[in-house]
Amino acid sequence: MWSPNPDTYPNSKPSNNAPQFFSVPHTEIPSTQASNLGANMKLIIAGATGLLGTEIVRQSLQIPEITQVVALAHQTVHLNESIDSSKLRNVIIDDYGQYPDDVKSEFAGADACIWTVALTPLQPSSDFAEVKRVCQDCTKLGFEAMCEAGPARPFRFIYLSAGGTPRDPTKDPVILPEFFIMRRNTELMVQRFPTEKEGIEVCIARPGVISNSTTWSRALVANLWRIINRFGQSLPSIQRSELAAAVLNQVMDGFEKRTLLNSDLVRLGRRELEFRSTPRFS
C-alpha cells in the first residue's frame, strides 16, 4: 500500500451550513511526508488515450515504484512496441459517466487517480450541455465509482483543469465565460471531495497550453495563442512530457499545493525528468 500522508488532508466532516462555492486555494500544504520510493503503487489514469493521457501512461510504465497502471479509456492505449506494458491494464468503457461492476472492480486497491477527461467548446460537435456533462458530471461519477470500489487510504485524486480558470468567483472570465465558470465550479466540486469521503487527498492542476514536438501540435498552440491574444490575454505553455512528469511526481510523493499553476507544473516536471535521467548507483 502507498505510504500515507496524514498531515496533508486531515479527515473532516461536511457542515450543513457550509457554503456551496468558495475561492479555490492554491497555498502550500504542510507535509512531513518522506519519499515514497520503494512502495508499490496502483495508479488509475482516466482519459488514457488522449494527448496527455498517453504520455502519462508511457512514463508511468517506466517508473519501477508504479507496479500497476489502470488505463481507463474508450479504447486500448497504443504504445511503442519497445515499451514494456506488462503492468498495464486497459479498461475500456463506453461512457465516463457509467461504471459497471466489472469496471469498478479494476479500481479496487488503487492508490491514486490522474483524471484528464475533458471536452472543450472548440471541439467539433460538442454543445455546452455535453461539455459540462463530461467535464463536471463524469468527474463526480468517476470519483464515486473509485470510492465504491475500495481504494487504498489515502487515495490521491488529481484533476486536470485549465489555465485561465478564474479563482475569484465574483469575477467572470473574459473569453469563453460559460466554459470557464463551469470549470471553476468543477474545481470547487473536486475540492469538496475530502469532506465527503474519508482518506481522500485532492489536487487541482491548471496547465496552460499543452504542447509537444509534433507539427500539428505546434500549429494548434500557435492558433490558440493568436485567439487568446486578441482578447488582450495570454496563456503560458508547458511541454506534454513536463506535465505528465509533474502529475506523476505529485501522486507519488504527495501534493505540494492544493492548486498547481502552470509555473508549478513546469518546475515540478523538469525536476522530475532531471531526477529520472540522473544515473543511480546501488
Side-chain angles (χ1 to χ4, degrees), residues 69-88:
V69 178
V70 177
L72 185 68
H74 293 316
Q75 58 187 351
T76 300
V77 179
H78 296 290
L79 300 167
N80 190 296
E81 292 182 358
S82 64
I83 297 175
D84 180 5
S85 58
S86 58
K87 58 185 180 183
L88 175 64

Side-chain angles (χ1 to χ4, degrees), residues 186-264:
T186 304
E187 288 186 6
L188 297 173
M189 176 189 74
V190 172
Q191 291 282 3
R192 289 195 294 271
F193 286 170
T195 70
E196 299 167 358
K197 307 284 185 181
E198 292 188 358
I200 303 299
E201 300 176 4
V202 300
C203 177
I204 307 296
R206 285 182 172 180
V209 179
I210 304 171
S211 63
N212 66 5
S213 60
T214 62
T215 301
W216 74 266
S217 178
R218 289 199 301 269
L220 176 60
V221 170
N223 287 332
L224 283 173
W225 274 88
R226 280 196 291 269
I227 293 170
I228 294 167
N229 285 330
R230 287 183 61 187
F231 291 88
Q233 296 185 3
S234 62
L235 283 179
S237 63
I238 183 170
Q239 289 292 316
R240 181 178 63 156
S241 59
E242 294 172 347
L243 180 54
V247 294
L248 283 167
N249 168 272
Q250 290 295 279
V251 294
M252 292 174 63
D253 289 351
F255 298 141
E256 178 183 283
K257 300 178 181 180
R258 288 183 172 87
T259 302
L260 295 168
L261 305 181
N262 191 79
S263 57
D264 299 314

